[in-house]
Amino acid sequence: MSSWDRFTDTFFNAKVMAKYWPDILYGVGVTVELAVLIVVSGLLAGLALALIRALAIRPLNWLIIFIVDLFRSLPPLVIIVLIYFGLPAADISPSGFVSTWLSLALVLMAFAEEIFWAGITSIPKGQWEAARSTGLGFGQTLTNVILPQALRLTIPPLTNRTIAITKGTALGTVVAVSEILGMASSAMSNSYNPSPLMMGAAAYLVLFLPVVVAGRWIEKKFAWKR
Amino acid sequence: MIVSAKGIHKHFGHLHVLKGVDLEVAERELVFVIGPSGSGKSTLLRCLNRLEQPSAGSVTVDGIDMLAPATDINHARQRIGMVFQSFNLYPHMTALGNVALALRKVAGKSRAEADALGLAALERVGLADRATHRPLELSGGQQQRVAIARAIALEPRVMLFDEPTSALDPELVGSVLAVMRSLRESGMTMIVVSHEMAFARNAADRVVFMDDGLILEQGPPAAIFENPAHERTRAFIGQIQRH
Amino acid sequence: MIQSFFNPEIIVAAMPIVLAGLFNTILLSLIVVPLGLAGGLVLAMLASVKSPLVRWPLMAWVDFFRAFPPLVLLVLLFAGLPFAGLELGGFACVAIAFFLNTGSYYGEILRAGIDSVPHGQVEAARSTGLSGLQAMGYIVLPQAVRNVLPDLLSNTLEVVKLTSLGSVVAVPELLYQARQAQSITYNPTPIVMAAVIYFLILWPLVRLLSRLENRALAGRG
Ligand SMILES: Nc1ncnc2c1ncn2[C@@H]1O[C@H](COP(=O)(O)OP(=O)(O)OP(=O)(O)O)[C@@H](O)[C@H]1O
Ligand SMILES: [Mg+2]
């Protein structure tokens, strides 16, 4: 056996791959499900916080700023571990899936709030005044005049941040979520062969490479021009 | 009196910007407000539609007490159009979208009705053919005329202008003044803060000179321009005319 | 509640273990941040070579490592390489994975910074006799770094947070030590301690960033 054959036999072993590809595929399903849940709930929660912040109620705003700072400062893995291994001591035992979802959604919420808020405050005061002078109320001005302009500004930074946080679904493997990395790791230890790990890596590339390339495109398309 | 402001004071923190201003405006009157920078002209206008909350005093517009807590301020503001120095058009909407927004959201018109009324308002400022353009695709003068259309579409009883031509290139000023003149001819009550003295001379009924948060003197344009009672007024007018 | 999450006895007992972890986290950060920056700098300077022969492979490299979750890269090195007879320690794996992953992020940021410096700056520098490399080092880079400073800081914050991945490959950094202490004491207090420490050391940076970013977006609006 040549060394090249030995290499492919180890890392791209056809028999092992044939046996474990359904596992990896299952992991892909879990990863996608987790990612979608994180993106939807994280972005919505972030937008909600930014809108509440626009009401300018002092104590509430301090609370929002603290929450945002907290989840920007803590490493996502620390939050996951804290929820998964810590909460049971308070008689709440979330599954690994829920712990990962909750943690990453909170992190995305924090970053999204920050970005949405920066977008809202970057709209000139004159826009508010013009709208209010025609009789539009606070909420009407926010939804019809301010947000459409602010959201456009926030798309590039939001896209990049969302991609980065969604990749964190791999952290779920630490708390036994059967997402791609988790499935690949256990398949690797069952088969004493790294081929499942290579399949897992390929699956991540297939999932995220298009997203990264799309992010690049969005960044160009929504470049600052008004 | 369609506009009646009495004893208006305004503080910004320690800054005392309006120090007891009384201003009465009759229906169909065009009142011109002049005065040095920082004298409180903009603040006074903004107190009239409550974009600023006066610290003391009373404001009545078209019989509505603007400062009463029970007043529906958004409804009241429909009757007071405002035009800003920097246009403040909504950049994400077309010209027609800018004009129709409040018609739909505040006046409660259907989209079709609002579009028809908006188009009519654009027609009045001579821009019906620019209805589908975005603000950035319009010249400064055209943008300001769209802003005027946005205000008059709501059929206000009073129009407030805060330096409507100051941000414009000189050759574009005329088109905006022409629209203002035709508004005046249609009988609109107008309060105009501006340095366009020639326009004041032949269009204004009354000129008000503000200085340091107070109305120092007022009267017909000819009297104020040719024969001011106060040295401050004379100095200010001299300065403006030299430019 | 206090007994479970802020148990005073456990805090005292776990403190030395957790502080040792903090020390290693700082050490790890001091190694991987400069390493990532150096990698990013090389990528960014290569990107200023306009030839498509350089540009396309470079873009592929950067996107490839940005698409990989860093943990996957780390596991690939730590658990995969031994099958090829290459057994690196957890620490070396972290260093390599971070070099590849964060280097690509730093590279993108620095490239944007270099692009933001007007070409006239290079021409002016070259006209006074500076070499291309000198113009880059003395004229372009200082301005580029200043223009993208918020992004550089923000990425550095993320890198420091990412060092917690070391716990997965038994690098005794803050999170790893806290989990060790937790499994000895059967109490989550040490993990809470780690979280508090992360928050206390990173909060000032987060505050600063929030100001810088707000200003940046406002300036564009
Ligand atoms: N929102 C605010 N907060 C604090 N100070 C303000 C505010 N708005 C206005 N001022 C101050 O109030 C004073 C009067 O301002 P105002 O804009 O009414 O003057 P103006 O007569 O319109 O001047 P200009 O001709 O320059 O437009 C100024 O000193 C200004 O700095
Ligand atoms: Mg003013």
Side-chain angles (χ1 to χ4, degrees), chain A:
Chain A
M1 223 199 239
S2 75
S3 66
W4 173 251
D5 287 340
R6 202 157 41 233
F7 175 80
T8 50
D9 198 48
T10 308
F11 284 92
F12 300 95
N13 185 300
K15 251 167 82 186
V16 174
M17 288 168 105
K19 181 166 178 205
Y20 286 103
W21 74 261
D23 285 14
I24 303 294
L25 204 61
Y26 178 83
V28 169
V30 174
T31 293
V32 169
E33 189 185 348
L34 196 50
V36 169
L37 283 172
I38 291 165
V39 170
V40 172
S41 53
L43 289 181
L44 284 181
L47 183 59
L49 283 190
L51 293 181
I52 295 174
R53 193 167 170 189
L55 295 174
I57 303 166
R58 274 277 178 83
L60 218 51
N61 282 8
W62 288 332
L63 184 67
I64 292 173
I65 292 171
F66 176 76
I67 290 173
V68 166
D69 282 5
L70 181 66
F71 287 110
R72 275 189 78 171
S73 310
L74 294 182
L77 186 54
V78 171
I79 305 172
I80 293 174
V81 167
L82 201 57
I83 289 180
Y84 186 76
F85 294 103
L87 280 191
D91 284 328
I92 310 167
S93 301
S95 67
F97 185 89
V98 171
S99 303
T100 310
W101 170 19
L102 197 62
S103 306
L104 295 179
L106 285 170
V107 172
L108 181 55
M109 170 191 81
F111 279 98
E113 191 281 338
E114 186 94 356
I115 294 171
F116 283 132
W117 178 246
I120 290 174
T121 51
S122 71
I123 304 303
K125 207 166 137 245
Q127 291 290 311
W128 283 96
E129 295 184 339
R132 296 306 302 269
S133 80
T134 61
L136 262 63
F138 176 87
Q140 289 176 317
T141 304
L142 195 60
T143 50
N144 291 293
V145 177
I146 306 300
L147 275 185
Q149 300 180 57
L151 290 184
R152 195 188 154 84
L153 284 172
T154 58
I155 284 173
L158 214 50
T159 308
N160 284 333
R161 190 55 73 179
T162 304
I163 295 172
I165 291 171
T166 316
K167 279 173 11 192
T169 49
L171 299 178
T173 185
V174 175
V175 291
V177 179
S178 37
E179 45 68 67
I180 301 174
L181 183 58
M183 293 308 277
S185 298
S186 58
M188 179 171 69
S189 42
N190 289 338
S191 63
Y192 302 104
N193 181 285
S195 301
L197 199 54
M198 302 312 288
M199 282 199 288
Y204 274 108
L205 277 188
V206 170
L207 276 185
F208 283 107
L209 201 53
V211 182
V212 168
V213 173
R216 221 186 243 290
W217 178 79
I218 285 176
E219 194 152 53
K220 267 220 186 74
K221 174 150 195 291
F222 288 86
W224 316 101
K225 58 167 193 272
R226 295 176 89 228

Side-chain angles (χ1 to χ4, degrees), chain A residues 10-11 65-66 69-78 81-82 85-87 89-90 111 114-115 117-119 121-122 153 161 164 167 170-171 173-174 181 185 188 192-194 197-198 201 204-205 208-209 212-213 216 224 226, chain C residues 1 4-5 59 62-72 75-76 79-81 83-84 101 105 108 111 154 157-158 161 164-165 167-168 175 179 182 188 191-192 195 198-199 202-203 206-207 209-210 213-214 217-218 220-221:
Chain A
T10 308
F11 284 92
I65 292 171
F66 176 76
D69 282 5
L70 181 66
F71 287 110
R72 275 189 78 171
S73 310
L74 294 182
L77 186 54
V78 171
V81 167
L82 201 57
F85 294 103
L87 280 191
F111 279 98
E114 186 94 356
I115 294 171
W117 178 246
T121 51
S122 71
L153 284 172
R161 190 55 73 179
K167 279 173 11 192
L171 299 178
T173 185
V174 175
L181 183 58
S185 298
M188 179 171 69
Y192 302 104
N193 181 285
L197 199 54
M198 302 312 288
Y204 274 108
L205 277 188
F208 283 107
L209 201 53
V212 168
V213 173
R216 221 186 243 290
W224 316 101
R226 295 176 89 228
Chain C
M1 201 66 176
S4 305
F5 295 106
M59 204 131 104
V62 166
D63 282 354
F64 184 82
F65 286 108
R66 289 202 310 171
F68 260 124
L71 182 58
V72 175
V75 170
L76 218 50
L81 278 187
F83 286 95
N101 175 266
Y105 277 95
E108 275 294 288
R111 184 185 59 79
S154 160
L157 170 71
E158 296 306 310
K161 282 156 61 179
S164 61
L165 294 191
S167 66
V168 178
L175 179 58
R179 288 195 60 187
Q182 176 223 5
I191 299 180
V192 176
Y198 273 117
F199 181 62
L202 295 180
W203 196 19
V206 167
R207 272 290 82 227
L209 270 171
S210 152
E213 284 163 1
N214 263 317
L217 206 59
R220 283 146 168 174

Side-chain angles (χ1 to χ4, degrees), chain C:
Chain C
M1 201 66 176
I2 299 259
Q3 281 306 308
S4 305
F5 295 106
F6 303 96
N7 189 313
E9 282 161 44
I10 292 183
I11 291 180
V12 173
M15 195 54 96
I17 306 176
V18 171
L19 284 185
L22 172 62
F23 178 78
N24 284 332
T25 288
I26 293 174
L27 201 65
L28 196 55
S29 303
L30 287 179
I31 293 167
V32 293
V33 169
L35 211 56
L37 268 174
L41 196 58
V42 171
L43 290 176
M45 298 206 347
L46 281 177
S48 66
V49 179
K50 298 292 178 213
S51 151
L53 269 174
V54 178
R55 207 161 191 141
W56 287 104
L58 205 64
M59 204 131 104
W61 171 279
V62 166
D63 282 354
F64 184 82
F65 286 108
R66 289 202 310 171
F68 260 124
L71 182 58
V72 175
L73 208 53
L74 187 56
V75 170
L76 218 50
L77 293 173
F78 187 73
L81 278 187
F83 286 95
L86 199 58
E87 196 129 0
L88 300 170
F91 192 87
C93 289
V94 170
I96 298 172
F98 274 53
F99 176 73
L100 295 174
N101 175 266
T102 68
S104 295
Y105 277 95
Y106 277 125
E108 275 294 288
I109 296 169
L110 287 171
R111 184 185 59 79
I114 291 173
D115 283 352
S116 75
V117 178
H119 192 61
Q121 292 288 314
V122 179
E123 287 172 349
R126 296 303 295 274
S127 78
T128 62
L130 293 182
S131 74
L133 220 53
Q134 283 174 320
M136 178 61 90
Y138 295 127
I139 309 299
V140 178
L141 271 184
Q143 299 182 58
V145 167
R146 205 178 35 208
N147 290 349
V148 292
L149 195 59
D151 290 341
L152 283 176
L153 285 177
S154 160
N155 197 48
T156 303
L157 170 71
E158 296 306 310
V159 174
V160 174
K161 282 156 61 179
L162 265 187
T163 58
S164 61
L165 294 191
S167 66
V168 178
V169 294
V171 173
E173 49 69 68
L174 186 48
L175 179 58
Y176 182 83
Q177 293 291 91
R179 288 195 60 187
Q180 291 297 105
Q182 176 223 5
S183 58
I184 298 168
T185 59
Y186 295 106
N187 184 299
T189 299
I191 299 180
V192 176
M193 289 167 69
V196 170
I197 292 175
Y198 273 117
F199 181 62
L200 289 181
I201 51 176
L202 295 180
W203 196 19
L205 185 55
V206 167
R207 272 290 82 227
L208 173 73
L209 270 171
S210 152
R211 295 203 162 187
L212 290 177
E213 284 163 1
N214 263 317
R215 208 179 305 151
L217 206 59
R220 283 146 168 174

Side-chain angles (χ1 to χ4, degrees), chain A residues 125, chain B residues 12 15 17 35-44 52 163 195:
Chain A
K125 207 166 137 245
Chain B
F12 288 113
L15 206 59
V17 174
S37 181
S39 57
K41 307 178 297 290
S42 299
T43 307
L44 176 61
E52 298 289 358
E163 308 207 25
H195 298 301

